[in-house]
Amino acid sequence: MTVSRHALDPSDETLMLRYQNGDRAAFAQLVRRHQGPLYNFALRQVRIGQVAEDVVQEAFVRVVQNATDFKHEARFTTWVYTITRNLCIDQLRKRALRKHPSLDESKSDDGGDGPTLGEQTADPRASVERDATGIELKERILRAVDTLPDEQREVFLMREVSNLPFKEIAEITGVPENTVKSRMRYALERLQEALSEYEDYARALR
């Protein structure tokens, strides 16, 4: 039986063990594997591309600085997302009294290695009319996510953008798993309400 290449890839924890033993290439592989998802998560939190890049860079600097503290029974994703989340919180606190960037500013800085929620709504085969509606829907989604309460937004992003399991999100945020699930449910309810006027349009695209 042929084993897929992905199945042969070392786990994050194995790569960290190799790095702790002096294998710099193992760390480079961890960066390649996680920098895109971490950037997309940070971007939707701090809303400015350059700041998100700085957050992710600093997160990996801290991974290097604290590599000897990493315990192999822990999950690397839990550790690095906790670091990234705390850095995002620090950035948001620093900017608490400053004006938030506009949606246009956020979009112009948008990027990363993975598609954002808004980009996933684009349909290149759509007509001009459907294209215009798709752009409007993208903007509405971005605004709706942006206006979620902080606790709900971060859970939504970790779950839907970074595909982390609820148990791991609970460890990162330091709250019970049931609380995480409740925040996710409330986030989805808020988004559904905010996007309700586009329900017929979304159904037509299916």
Side-chain angles (χ1 to χ4, degrees):
M1 183 177 69
T2 302
V3 180
S4 69
R5 182 178 177 181
H6 179 73
L8 295 174
D9 285 345
S11 68
D12 294 335
E13 294 71 35
T14 297
L15 290 172
M16 273 302 296
L17 177 61
R18 292 179 184 176
Y19 178 60
Q20 287 173 328
N21 291 329
D23 184 354
R24 294 186 178 183
F27 177 73
Q29 189 170 347
L30 281 169
V31 172
R32 287 194 300 270
R33 185 178 290 181
H34 293 287
Q35 64 182 351
L38 284 172
Y39 173 80
N40 281 336
F41 169 72
L43 179 63
R44 294 269 68 84
Q45 293 281 58
V46 300
R47 304 178 178 89
I48 301 176
Q50 184 57 56
V51 177
E53 289 178 9
D54 292 343
V55 163
V56 174
Q57 181 177 345
E58 178 62 23
F60 281 116
V61 167
R62 296 195 181 188
V63 167
V64 171
Q65 293 173 337
N66 300 285
T68 56
D69 297 333
F70 180 74
K71 308 301 181 184
H72 304 301
E73 62 270 17
R75 285 182 60 85
F76 177 78
T77 49
T78 303
W79 188 44
V80 75
Y81 269 91
T82 300
I83 293 172
T84 305
R85 173 181 181 261
N86 289 337
L87 289 170
C88 287
I89 290 172
D90 289 344
Q91 286 291 335
L92 292 172
R93 283 174 178 166
K94 291 176 183 177
R95 293 162 45 201
L97 300 179
R98 294 166 54 189
K99 182 180 178 181
H100 286 298
S102 68
L103 182 64
D104 290 337
E105 200 172 341
S106 176
K107 286 186 297 179
S108 67
D109 282 331
D110 208 347
D113 294 337
T116 63
L117 290 170
E119 288 167 348
Q120 292 173 12
T121 67
D123 182 359
R125 298 165 298 179
S127 65
V128 173
E129 182 178 353
R130 285 162 61 89
D131 251 0
T133 311
I135 292 171
E136 186 177 356
L137 178 58
K138 172 182 175 178
E139 294 178 352
R140 175 60 69 92
I141 290 173
L142 292 175
R143 281 198 298 270
V145 171
D146 206 39
T147 58
L148 287 173
D150 292 344
E151 293 176 343
Q152 294 177 22
R153 186 176 67 249
E154 70 174 4
V155 168
F156 178 83
L157 294 172
M158 288 184 197
R159 180 66 174 174
E160 293 298 321
V161 177
S162 302
N163 297 313
L164 298 181
F166 285 123
K167 182 178 181 181
E168 197 165 345
I169 297 173
E171 293 178 27
I172 293 169
T173 56
V175 298
E177 187 173 345
N178 284 340
T179 301
V180 169
K181 291 179 179 178
S182 294
R183 290 177 181 176
M184 182 66 180
R185 184 175 68 253
Y186 291 138
L188 292 175
E189 288 174 355
R190 283 174 176 265
L191 291 176
Q192 185 176 21
E193 181 179 351
L195 300 172
S196 59
E197 65 185 87
Y198 289 92
E199 185 175 350
D200 292 338
Y201 170 76
R203 188 180 298 115
L205 291 181
R206 293 194 184 104

